[in-house]
Amino acid sequence: MEKETRGWLQQENRYDVILIGGGIIGLAIAYEAAQQGAKVALLERNQFAKGTTCAAAGMLAPTAERFEHPSLRAFAVDSLQLYRTWAEKIWEDTGIDPELRLRGVIIPSKEIPSIERDHISHRTTNSPDLYPPLTSHPTWFDKNKLRERNLELGDSIVGAEYLANEGHISPTKLSEALLEAARRAGAHCLEHEEAKELMLNDGRITGVRTSTTTFTANQVVLCSGLDSEQLARSAGVHLPHYSVKGELLVLRSKASFETVIYGEGVYIVPKSQQRIYIGATSMSDQYDRYVQAGSIMNLLEQACAYLPELRSAHWEQAWAGLRPCTPDHLPYIGPLPGVHGLWAASGHYRNGVLLAPATASALVDWMNSGSMPWAYLNDFRVERMLQGSANFVG
Ligand SMILES: Cc1cc2nc3c(=O)[nH]c(=O)nc-3n(C[C@H](O)[C@H](O)[C@H](O)COP(=O)(O)OP(=O)(O)OC[C@H]3O[C@@H](n4cnc5c(N)ncnc54)[C@H](O)[C@@H]3O)c2cc1C
């Protein structure tokens, strides 16, 4: 009987792909791979999405982020394009609303930016609908136009660039929905299952050992945030990450604006249930999750300068998370050199939520076909760290 049970367990623990790390990236890949018919195990050492993912504001704002690297910019725009159908499908599959709100982002300005003005189309936008058409061209909104969107900005602000197609999603709700969708598609998603050791044989990955059991597969993905570095090192691969700590606070307010305010040094994101997220600080190489009083003071001061009505909002809470950053600020997506079947999907820094659908789609395509699906992914390959070609900015 005991023998039989063990045999059953061993058979059960045989997968096509094992994902290590149940943050937004692991959850998105689990959903995508399971949907495409793979037998998937997703191992999370704590609780799903309770790491950096749930600390995020969930902004989907590639234009506002002003990515300097063209490949990252293209990847972010592609990912945003995927978001509409992706989020709708996940909602449909599970009945859990991930609260996608593409209701625009504004970048407030103290002066009409002359260089940018040439690029700004002055056409008015009539897009109070949930999903306005995608456009990467900002529109200039003066203060009257902003008032029409219930935005009474501070005295020093003369207007704002308006990005109609960008917005935000709830990282918590999205993770909950993805977990449910992945499970419904057949993925085995296991909490409190820490990957302790990668199993290798003759330059190939064969599985993962946890403290309780072993899981075998020919493909293993490191989507373990900052911890991907250590797991890769155990397989002899250099995959440097460092933490950029971010603090964020939440207020409750009856303010009725629906547009994200993306200011200098601060952003304001109107969430459901009258919650307003205000973020975020950036502290390199900090690994604690304490929230500093000074950070809260600065964020509140800056946020109230943009939107004075926040002074009467109620305090709710604050938290900190550790963004998984790489030396050149580009994610790692692709196979790990020298270990057949071992993959990375980590280092998404300040945009893991935004980049989740494109990362999952690219990685699963790549694993299935054996070839890189989009040319610009070449810049996200792990080899750049070996070749010393990375432009280190961290
Ligand atoms: C304040 C703040 C605001 C942010 N705002 C935004 C935003 O507006 N938009 C946006 O797109 N992004 C934002 N981000 C960034 C975003 O949160 C991250 O890029 C994203 O969460 C990274 O996801 P991940 O799945 O790679 O990592 P994580 O969420 O860290 O998940 C990795 C998981 O792996 C698990 N793990 C690690 N080692 C093991 C192991 N050995 N075995 C099993 N499991 C393991 C961990 O427990 C963890 O749950 C923000 C971040 C912060 C801190």
Side-chain angles (χ1 to χ4, degrees), residues 21 23-25 44-45 52-53 56-59 195 349-354:
I24 193 70
I25 299 297
E44 166 54 49
R45 69 172 170 204
T52 306
T53 293
M59 271 190 306
Y349 184 30
R350 43 185 291 135
N351 284 285
V353 181
L354 169 62

Side-chain angles (χ1 to χ4, degrees), residues 66-126:
R66 296 184 202 277
F67 295 110
E68 277 176 23
H69 199 289
S71 296
L72 187 56
R73 199 182 316 132
F75 193 47
V77 169
D78 283 352
S79 204
L80 179 63
Q81 301 254 20
L82 291 175
Y83 244 107
R84 297 152 188 267
T85 39
W86 195 63
E88 269 170 18
K89 170 117 185 26
I90 294 162
W91 187 358
E92 235 173 69
D93 285 358
T94 62
I96 302 169
D97 175 7
E99 298 180 359
L100 177 67
R101 302 285 181 266
L102 298 178
R103 293 176 181 170
V105 171
I106 59 155
I107 305 175
S109 180
K110 290 182 178 158
E111 53 191 32
I112 301 176
S114 55
I115 305 168
E116 297 214 333
R117 195 169 37 187
D118 299 339
H119 299 292
I120 293 170
S121 117
H122 282 260
R123 74 181 160 70
T124 52
T125 169
N126 54 350

Side-chain angles (χ1 to χ4, degrees), residues 116-191:
E116 297 214 333
R117 195 169 37 187
D118 299 339
H119 299 292
I120 293 170
S121 117
H122 282 260
R123 74 181 160 70
T124 52
T125 169
N126 54 350
S127 49
D129 36 323
L130 196 57
Y131 304 125
L134 280 177
T135 159
S136 56
H137 295 294
T139 308
W140 178 254
F141 273 14
D142 61 18
K143 285 193 108 167
N144 287 331
K145 200 84 197 131
L146 290 167
R147 272 184 206 111
E148 286 171 21
R149 298 202 154 247
N150 300 320
L151 287 162
E152 190 64 61
L153 297 191
D155 288 343
S156 61
I157 305 299
V158 298
E161 288 179 33
Y162 174 70
L163 304 157
N165 62 311
E166 310 198 351
H168 61 97
I169 196 162
S170 162
T172 312
K173 286 287 184 186
L174 175 62
S175 301
E176 201 184 315
L178 273 173
L179 175 61
E180 180 61 24
R183 282 185 166 147
R184 286 187 188 201
H188 290 180
C189 303
L190 307 168
E191 281 183 337

Side-chain angles (χ1 to χ4, degrees), residues 6 56 80 91 99 146 155 171 177 207 225 235 273 288 325 353 363 368-369:
R6 245 194 248 135
L80 179 63
W91 187 358
E99 298 180 359
L146 290 167
D155 288 343
Q273 297 173 334
D288 69 86
C325 192
V353 181
L363 195 88
N368 285 342
S369 68

Side-chain angles (χ1 to χ4, degrees), residues 339-375:
V339 187
H340 194 82
L342 186 58
W343 299 77
S346 68
H348 290 70
Y349 184 30
R350 43 185 291 135
N351 284 285
V353 181
L354 169 62
L355 299 174
T359 299
S361 168
L363 195 88
V364 173
D365 261 26
W366 200 339
M367 285 197 297
N368 285 342
S369 68
S371 54
M372 195 174 63
W374 309 323

